[in-house]
């Protein structure tokens, strides 16, 4: 593919126009314009500031030692299973009784190999029960195990004042005091704690109507709809949007809820490399040229599914380029802003706000209330026709119980605070400071609570600790946490990082473009 210099816009103009994703028209309104993708000019020529993002590869020595460790554990796991089969070692995990051996098994015993032989040894690092509000600090219920984590006993004591680096309480709204708590308490007295019905029967409250209007206003879209569960917002709505004869192009690191929704839809699914626009464009081009398998008929619909912030990697979607490709190939875009809404962008409106783009360029805007808003549930925003369609076709809308009144009020109050409609500047302050943006056991010993993630949630050699910074944290708390992280890192010899080469993301991760 070639183009003349006359056809190619000046890089400065391209960057300035791309800052907002729209350009003024003659009648004073705005009209969308299609981006042209340039792999090198102005980091794509799609937005005004450079987009640097790189991730280190696992050092070879660390990878080899990790695989060796898992290999040794696997060998011993088979040995222990042999001993259990001969009743030499006791097996604590649930299994079929001997008198049921002639029945079709309820589950394959081998599927639990990882659970019973590897996970149980480190199970104490997860599912820790808390006994306080998940604020900047929290209390953990103390538990001990006398059978290598197969069972736990609670001592009745609590580990006090653990600095909370594991909750998604990004803006600090998940508290039991303050405006949100008071508003939720007042609504509970008036409406009760639950509606006990679906929205289409007698579970539609005025608080739900106000919530959805507020969400639409916050996102800058025509209409929005709220759902009681964030996971179901994806898994139950994607099947309502696509079906047989449709194609879903999904980022390889998309959340499990997006993957499940895509599978339930019955659509064809193709995976593109994470945040790799060359990979995405190749799939789009192939889909347009070849059409559906065997028949080669055009796809009924092509849906690109991405996340705003990928929680495991912390990477931000290259949204301007995704929108450019979506327009170029006449596809639709589904954006999951579970981790970015409320915590990213100058006004907390997510990744669209972060890049200064037009919300109308995103066909389906999805997000959750479980993180920045300190509540529960999720939403979908977009054109009115889209939302009206989902109200009658989405299983999550038709069959699920509606959001409880106090939860809805928590969302309304926190969202108004972020928008500045509560008459204060607290929301602006919280959004602004949010931009400062055996490991788990050792951290807990030092009163730091973190989330550690390992195989199979991550590749074997890419286990990680995930730190969730909240606006409720003080500088002193973060200083303590950083000090402890350094101490534990030295203790466990986890310092593998090397000085990075300061190069754009395109040059380090993307494949070479043939254009």
């Amino acid at each position: 593919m070639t183009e003349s210099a006359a056809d190619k816009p000046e890089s400065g103009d391209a960057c300035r126009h791309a800052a907002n994703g729209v350009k003024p028209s003659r009648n004073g309104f705005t009209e969308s314009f299609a981006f042209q993708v340039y792999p090198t000019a102005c980091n794509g020529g799609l937005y005004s500031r450079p987009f640097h993002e790189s991730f280190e590869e696992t050092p070879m020595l660390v990878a080899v030692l990790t695989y060796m460790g898992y290999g040794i554990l696997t060998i011993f796991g088979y040995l222990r299973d042999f001993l259990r089969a001969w009743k030499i070692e006791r097996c604590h995990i649930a299994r079929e009784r001997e008198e049921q051996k002639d029945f079709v098994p309820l589950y394959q015993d081998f599927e639990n190999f990882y659970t019973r032989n590897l996970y149980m040894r480190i199970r104490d690092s997860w599912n820790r029960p808390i006994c306080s509000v998940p604020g900047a600090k929290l209390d953990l219920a103390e538990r001990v195990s006398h059978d290598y984590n197969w069972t736990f006993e609670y001592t009745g004591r609590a580990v006090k004042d653990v600095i909370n680096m594991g909750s998604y309480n990004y803006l600090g709204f998940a508290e039991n005091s303050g405006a949100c708590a008071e508003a939720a308490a007042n609504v509970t007295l008036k409406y009760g704690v639950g509606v006990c019905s679906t929205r289409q029967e007698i579970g539609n409250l005025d608080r739900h109507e106000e919530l959805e209007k507020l969400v639409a206003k916050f996102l800058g879209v025509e209409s929005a709809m709220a759902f009681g569960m964030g996971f179901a917002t994806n898994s139950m709505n994607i099947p309502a949007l696509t079906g047989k004869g449709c194609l879903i192009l999904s980022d390889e690191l998309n959340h499990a809820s997006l993957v499940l929704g895509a599978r339930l839809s019955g659509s064809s699914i193709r995976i593109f490399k994470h945040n790799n626009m060359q990979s995405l464009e190749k799939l789009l081009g192939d889909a347009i040229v070849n059409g559906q398998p065997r028949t080669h008929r055009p796809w009924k619909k092509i849906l690109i599914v991405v996340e705003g912030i990928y929680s495991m990697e912390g990477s931000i979607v290259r949204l301007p380029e995704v929108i450019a490709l979506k327009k170029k190939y006449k596809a639709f875009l589904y954006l999951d802003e579970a981790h970015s809404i409320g915590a990213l962008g100058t006004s907390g409106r997510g990744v669209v706000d972060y890049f200064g783009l037009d919300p109308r360029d995103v066909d389906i805007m999805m997000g959750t209330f479980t993180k920045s808003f300190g509540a529960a549930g999720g939403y979908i925003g977009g054109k009115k026709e889209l939302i009206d369609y989902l109200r009658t076709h989405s299983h999550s809308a038709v069959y699920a119980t509606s959001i409880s009144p106090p939860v809805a009020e928590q969302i309304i109050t926190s969202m108004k605070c972020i928008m500045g409609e509560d008459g204060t500047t607290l929301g602006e302050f919280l959004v602004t400071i949010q931009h400062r943006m055996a490991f788990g056991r050792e951290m807990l010993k030092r009163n730091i609570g973190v989330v550690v993630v390992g195989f199979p949630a991550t590749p074997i050699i890419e286990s990680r600790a995930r730190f969730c910074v909240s606006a409720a944290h003080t500088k002193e708390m973060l200083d303590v946490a950083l000090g402890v992280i350094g101490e534990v890192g030295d203790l466990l010899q986890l310092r593998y990082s090397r000085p990075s080469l300061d190069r754009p993301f395109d040059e380090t991760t993307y494949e070479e473009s043939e254009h």
Side-chain angles (χ1 to χ4, degrees):
M1 179 184 296
T2 60
E3 65 178 346
S4 64
D7 295 330
K8 189 171 182 179
E10 292 294 326
S11 60
D13 293 336
C15 292
R16 284 192 293 273
H17 288 315
N20 295 315
V22 296
K23 64 179 180 180
S25 63
R26 295 178 182 178
N27 58 10
F29 293 92
T30 58
E31 60 180 340
S32 301
F33 70 98
F35 294 115
Q36 176 64 49
V37 180
Y38 301 109
T40 56
C42 191
N43 204 45
L46 300 177
Y47 39 92
S48 57
R49 59 173 178 264
F51 188 83
H52 294 277
E53 190 175 70
S54 61
F55 302 94
E56 286 189 42
E57 292 185 0
T58 305
M60 181 60 71
L61 176 61
V62 176
V64 170
L65 292 177
T66 302
Y67 281 122
M68 287 179 58
Y70 272 95
I72 293 171
L73 288 174
T74 301
I75 292 173
F76 274 94
Y78 280 114
L79 176 61
R80 298 186 68 184
D81 278 353
F82 175 79
L83 296 176
R84 291 170 184 142
W86 287 91
K87 304 296 190 297
I88 300 175
E89 180 178 331
R90 181 182 177 187
C91 183
H92 300 273
I93 202 165
R95 58 197 313 177
E96 276 103 359
R97 297 191 297 271
E98 186 67 24
E99 55 267 28
Q100 293 177 311
K101 63 180 180 180
D102 294 328
F103 288 79
V104 176
L106 293 176
Y107 60 89
Q108 295 295 324
D109 192 55
F110 181 76
E111 293 177 358
N112 293 315
F113 180 87
Y114 176 84
T115 300
R116 64 178 177 265
N117 291 307
L118 283 80
Y119 170 74
M120 281 299 172
R121 293 290 180 173
I122 53 176
R123 184 174 165 224
D124 58 301
S125 295
W126 293 278
N127 305 315
R128 293 168 178 157
I130 69 172
C131 47
S132 69
V133 172
K137 291 185 176 182
L138 51 76
D139 298 337
L140 292 176
E142 187 179 71
R143 59 181 182 173
V144 295
S145 177
H146 304 291
D147 53 5
Y148 302 103
N149 295 337
W150 285 99
T151 61
F152 291 99
E153 294 180 5
Y154 294 95
T155 65
R157 298 187 296 270
V159 182
K160 296 286 188 179
D161 296 327
V162 177
I163 296 179
N164 180 13
M165 301 296 293
S167 295
Y168 299 133
N169 186 21
Y170 293 146
L171 298 181
F173 284 120
E175 298 287 348
N176 58 1
S177 60
C180 290
E182 293 175 4
N186 293 334
V187 167
T188 302
L189 295 176
K190 180 179 179 180
Y191 294 91
V193 296
V195 181
C196 305
S197 180
T198 66
R199 293 284 297 276
Q200 294 191 351
E201 296 175 318
I202 58 172
N204 191 32
L205 304 179
D206 57 346
R207 309 313 296 156
H208 297 139
E209 297 287 340
E210 180 180 349
L211 169 60
E212 291 177 343
K213 291 179 181 177
L214 188 64
V215 171
K217 181 180 179 181
F218 182 68
L219 298 176
V221 296
E222 292 180 7
S223 185
M225 185 174 184
F227 303 88
M229 181 181 179
F231 191 99
T233 304
N234 281 330
S235 60
M236 293 290 100
N237 281 296
I238 293 179
L241 295 170
T242 64
K244 188 176 181 180
C246 298
L247 174 65
I248 293 178
L249 302 180
S250 177
D251 189 291
E252 65 179 344
L253 297 184
N254 275 342
H255 189 262
S257 59
L258 295 170
V259 175
L260 178 61
R263 291 175 176 173
L264 291 175
S265 71
S267 305
S268 297
I269 305 171
R270 293 175 185 170
I271 310 300
F272 63 91
K273 296 179 182 178
H274 174 56
N275 243 352
N276 191 318
M277 296 303 103
Q278 282 77 17
S279 176
L280 174 58
E281 184 167 19
K282 184 179 186 303
L283 291 179
L284 284 167
D286 290 345
I288 297 298
V289 172
N290 299 320
Q292 299 184 41
R294 293 187 297 275
T295 65
H296 299 291
R297 293 176 180 175
W299 294 100
K300 296 178 180 178
K301 193 183 301 177
I302 299 177
L303 181 67
I304 303 170
V305 180
V306 295
E307 293 188 51
I309 292 180
Y310 294 83
S311 59
M312 290 296 180
E313 283 68 33
S315 56
I316 301 174
V317 65
R318 303 176 70 90
L319 189 58
E321 291 160 285
V322 174
I323 290 177
L325 293 174
K326 164 233 168 184
K327 291 181 177 181
K328 179 178 179 181
Y329 292 95
K330 303 297 188 293
F332 295 93
L333 176 59
Y334 188 108
L335 174 63
D336 179 339
E337 293 218 75
H339 288 271
S340 54
I341 193 68
L344 198 64
T346 55
S347 56
R349 286 169 168 82
V351 69
V352 176
D353 180 25
Y354 176 78
F355 286 111
L357 301 173
D358 189 343
R360 293 172 296 182
D361 287 336
V362 179
D363 301 287
I364 304 104
M365 300 185 71
M366 178 272 171
T368 62
F369 303 123
T370 58
K371 298 165 178 68
S372 294
F373 305 99
Y379 67 82
I380 282 184
K383 292 183 178 180
K384 187 178 184 301
E385 294 86 351
L386 167 71
I387 304 304
D388 290 343
Y389 176 84
L390 290 177
R391 290 189 191 281
T392 57
H393 289 80
S394 168
H395 286 183
S396 187
V398 177
Y399 298 109
T401 302
S402 55
I403 297 177
S404 68
V407 172
E409 192 64 24
Q410 164 78 19
I411 302 167
I412 292 172
T413 307
S414 59
M415 189 171 290
K416 285 185 175 179
C417 180
I418 295 173
M419 298 170 69
E421 292 190 1
D422 62 341
T424 71
T425 59
L426 176 61
E428 180 182 356
F429 171 73
L430 294 176
V431 170
T432 301
I433 64 175
Q434 173 60 32
H435 294 160
R436 303 172 299 183
M437 305 199 51
F439 188 81
R441 292 170 179 165
E442 292 297 330
M443 294 293 286
L444 184 59
K445 288 180 183 178
R446 293 157 177 79
N447 266 31
I448 307 290
V450 301
V451 175
V452 288
V453 188
F455 180 82
T458 68
I460 288 180
I461 59 174
E462 294 182 13
S463 300
R464 66 206 63 179
R466 183 163 62 185
F467 299 92
C468 299
V469 181
S470 169
H473 288 130
T474 64
K475 183 179 183 300
E476 290 72 23
M477 293 179 189
L478 296 179
D479 288 339
V480 171
L482 288 172
V484 171
I485 291 170
E487 178 185 345
V488 175
D490 290 333
L491 175 66
L492 302 180
Q493 298 182 3
L494 294 177
R495 292 179 179 265
Y496 301 119
S497 184
R498 301 180 304 277
S500 60
L501 299 176
D502 189 15
R503 295 185 296 178
F505 184 63
D506 301 80
E507 298 176 15
T508 57
T509 304
Y510 281 12
E511 298 173 346
E512 290 295 328
S513 173
E514 297 179 357
H515 294 180

